[in-house]
């Protein structure tokens, strides 16, 4: 697990960045792969080969998740093939041996300034171009499925207020409105995200929704202001996830409902591949990485999906027990970890007992619901 408050771009110890180097789950192969890339010069030519490792490992991992044979052996083989192909390519024997991946849904569309309106959905659920309204409807369906499959019902939802703690482009803030919440408020620190959220809500004709600029670690709301406080995959990218949970419980009304999703540990091959890529990509320019992947014809939503966790500065992973402890410290009660998800959620694969689920996905997503004392 990446140490709390540790920026990967200033972390030099491989074992601090890549958990599976410490655990030796795949022997010495991850360390050998990362060390090989680290020995390459830091320039655009060699960064090009670092960037190609991202779609390569994502594609290989997705094949492993569908396979019924031992995923550990398959992942080690993929890492060795990546290392051999990169070394061969760098020696001017061509890049075809490294990048011979066939991608689905390739197209010639230019997303331009509309890139922010299109995003990768969780775990390979790739979308084609869609408008703002359908974007919100998709988020509503995902949220509704997760609630229903876990037996979560919300009485008198039409009378309740909701805060989306770290709303980004506002898709889940609006999804709660579509589910019937009375008033929804989203808070985020990104001007671009907030402007996009307001525009999307207006275009979709969603009323009684508000977006506010502010830090999720120091929110400008009075104690016990909201009936529901929803935080979905945000605090693991902040400097202090514990402070974020404290703030979540502070602004939640007594008896209110909380939702918290943070990255899991252990996370199986799903997260091990990302940690390996974070170590490989730690000094690569993000814009350059985007441009290289786009030049290969990879759809923009797919580019964002792959680079999201790989290149974000902070990517803290936590055990379920760590989350429960912190929730309890801050006054949470009736804490329940969601065991079901959408069809592409990792916890759903674990619930359905697919072959080698633990090796592939670890414990699955850390999604919790709870009340406040």
């Amino acid at each position: 697990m990446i140490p709390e408050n540790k920026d990967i771009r200033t972390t030099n110890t491989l074992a601090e960045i890549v958990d599976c180097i410490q655990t030796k789950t795949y022997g010495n192969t991850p360390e050998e792969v990362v060390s090989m890339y680290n020995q390459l010069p830091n320039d655009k030519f060699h960064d090009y080969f670092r960037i190609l490792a991202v779609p390569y490992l994502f594609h290989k991992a997705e094949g492993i998740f569908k396979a019924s044979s031992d995923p550990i052996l398959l992942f080690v083989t993929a890492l060795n093939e990546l290392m051999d192909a990169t070394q061969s390519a760098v020696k001017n024997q061509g890049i075809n041996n490294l990048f011979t991946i066939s991608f689905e849904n390739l197209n010639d569309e230019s997303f331009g300034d509309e890139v922010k309106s299109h995003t990768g959905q969780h775990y390979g659920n790739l979308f084609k171009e869609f408008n703002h309204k359908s974007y919100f409807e998709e988020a509503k369906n995902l949220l509704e499925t997760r609630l229903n499959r876990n037996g979560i019902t919300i009485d008198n939802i039409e009378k309740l207020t909701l805060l989306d703690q770290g709303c980004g482009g506002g898709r889940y803030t609006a999804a709660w409105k579509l589910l019937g919440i009375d008033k929804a408020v989203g808070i985020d620190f990104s001007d671009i995200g907030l402007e996009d959220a307001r525009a999307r809500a207006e275009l979709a004709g969603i009323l009684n929704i508000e977006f506010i600029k502010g830090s999720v670690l120091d929110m400008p709301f009075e104690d016990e202001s909201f009936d529901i406080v929803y935080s979905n995959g945000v605090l693991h990218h902040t400097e202090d996830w514990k402070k974020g949970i404290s703030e979540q419980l502070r602004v939640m009304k007594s008896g209110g409902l909380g939702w918290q999703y943070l990255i899991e540990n252990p996370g199986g091959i799903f997260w091990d591949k990302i940690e390996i890529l974070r170590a490989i990509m730690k000094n690569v320019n993000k814009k350059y990485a985007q441009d290289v992947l786009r030049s290969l014809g990879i759809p923009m939503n797919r580019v964002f999906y792959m680079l999201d966790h790989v290149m974000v500065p902070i990517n803290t992973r936590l055990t379920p027990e760590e989350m429960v402890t912190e929730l309890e410290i801050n006054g949470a009660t009736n804490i329940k970890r969601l065991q079901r998800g959408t069809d592409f959620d990792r916890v759903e694969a674990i619930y359905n007992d697919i072959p080698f689920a633990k090796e592939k996905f670890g414990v699955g997503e850390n999604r919790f619901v709870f009340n406040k004392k």
Side-chain angles (χ1 to χ4, degrees):
M1 182 176 69
I2 299 170
E4 189 178 332
N5 299 336
K6 179 73 71 173
D7 188 326
I8 191 169
R9 300 181 191 279
T10 61
T11 302
N12 297 316
T13 304
L14 289 182
E16 288 184 330
I17 300 174
V18 187
D19 184 66
C20 63
I21 286 179
Q22 300 180 60
T23 62
K24 299 293 183 181
T25 305
Y26 316 102
N28 295 322
T29 306
E31 185 170 11
E32 292 170 358
V33 171
V34 175
S35 296
M36 183 270 294
Y37 279 101
N38 284 348
Q39 289 171 13
L40 298 178
N42 291 316
D43 54 41
K44 280 195 171 183
F45 174 78
H46 292 93
D47 281 350
Y48 185 83
F49 296 103
R50 293 183 174 97
I51 295 165
L52 293 187
V54 178
Y56 182 91
L57 271 191
F58 266 78
H59 179 78
K60 287 290 186 178
E62 287 160 2
I64 291 171
F65 298 153
K66 297 176 182 177
S68 57
S69 51
D70 186 351
I72 302 297
L73 294 177
L74 293 175
F75 191 55
V76 170
T77 298
L79 290 174
N80 280 315
E81 289 176 349
L82 172 63
M83 185 162 49
D84 292 343
T86 301
Q87 290 173 329
S88 175
V90 169
K91 292 177 182 177
N92 296 319
Q93 296 182 26
I95 67 171
N96 289 335
N97 290 333
L98 174 63
F99 200 72
T100 57
I101 300 171
S102 175
F103 289 96
E104 300 83 3
N105 300 324
L106 296 185
N107 57 64
D108 295 322
E109 294 173 326
S110 176
F111 288 90
D113 292 336
E114 292 301 310
V115 164
K116 60 181 179 295
S117 299
H118 309 278
T119 185
Q121 289 298 308
H122 196 53
Y123 194 54
N125 184 38
L126 307 180
F127 288 146
K128 295 181 179 179
E129 185 174 0
F130 48 88
N131 60 36
H132 293 293
K133 185 174 182 179
S134 64
Y135 180 87
F136 286 134
E137 287 289 345
E138 180 64 27
K140 170 183 174 288
N141 293 337
L142 296 177
L143 176 59
E144 195 167 31
T145 298
R146 288 167 181 146
L147 290 170
N148 290 341
R149 286 186 177 179
N150 288 281
I152 301 169
T153 58
I154 302 174
D155 296 331
N156 300 315
I157 190 171
E158 71 281 357
K159 299 179 181 179
L160 304 180
T161 59
L162 171 129
L163 173 67
D164 187 354
Q165 184 185 18
C167 62
R171 63 188 186 275
Y172 281 105
T173 324
W176 279 99
K177 278 295 302 176
L178 295 175
L179 284 182
I181 206 81
D182 177 37
K183 181 175 182 178
V185 177
I187 183 170
D188 204 275
F189 205 71
S190 168
D191 288 320
I192 294 175
L194 293 171
E195 290 171 6
D196 192 38
R198 295 181 186 113
R200 285 172 170 169
E202 182 178 358
L203 183 63
I206 299 173
L207 305 177
N208 211 15
I209 189 169
E210 183 180 6
F211 295 99
I212 297 172
K213 183 175 181 178
S215 169
V216 296
L217 306 183
D218 186 18
M219 296 189 289
F221 307 114
E222 299 291 332
D223 295 355
E224 303 203 357
S225 295
F226 299 93
D227 298 295
I228 301 175
V229 183
Y230 176 83
S231 184
N232 193 54
V234 176
L235 300 184
H236 46 230
H237 295 320
T238 67
E239 299 89 347
D240 191 346
W241 65 273
K242 293 182 179 180
K243 182 66 163 60
I245 286 180
S246 174
E247 277 291 275
Q248 179 181 27
L249 270 296
R250 179 185 68 80
V251 302
M252 187 190 308
K253 294 180 180 178
S254 296
L257 176 71
W259 172 298
Q260 185 59 251
Y261 164 46
L262 297 176
I263 301 172
E264 68 270 18
N265 185 33
I269 291 171
F270 183 90
W271 284 109
D272 290 338
K273 78 171 187 302
I274 289 175
E275 287 192 342
I276 291 168
L277 290 170
R278 284 173 65 80
I280 291 172
M281 295 283 288
K282 65 177 182 177
N283 295 317
V284 176
N285 179 272
K286 185 172 182 179
K287 180 64 167 57
Y288 180 51
Q290 292 174 348
D291 290 344
V292 168
L293 296 184
R294 290 182 68 185
S295 74
L296 297 170
I298 300 174
M300 185 54 66
N301 62 331
R302 177 73 166 171
V303 171
F304 280 141
Y305 168 71
M306 291 189 290
L307 294 184
D308 181 18
H309 290 283
V310 167
M311 302 201 76
V312 71
I314 299 173
N315 206 57
T316 305
R317 291 172 51 212
L318 302 164
T319 66
E321 293 76 17
E322 288 175 299
M323 288 188 63
V324 169
T325 296
E326 201 61 31
L327 287 168
E328 290 177 338
I329 288 172
N330 287 280
T333 186
N334 301 323
I335 301 170
K336 175 184 178 182
R337 187 171 188 268
L338 305 190
Q339 302 299 318
R340 301 288 308 275
T342 65
D343 290 344
F344 58 83
D345 283 341
R346 300 183 291 283
V347 290
E348 189 68 12
I350 294 169
Y351 176 83
N352 288 315
D353 196 25
I354 70 166
F356 301 101
K358 179 179 179 181
E359 290 80 0
K360 293 174 180 177
F361 306 121
V363 296
E365 294 94 338
N366 276 330
R367 289 192 182 94
F368 285 86
V369 292
F370 48 89
N371 302 116
K372 179 178 177 179
K373 296 178 181 177

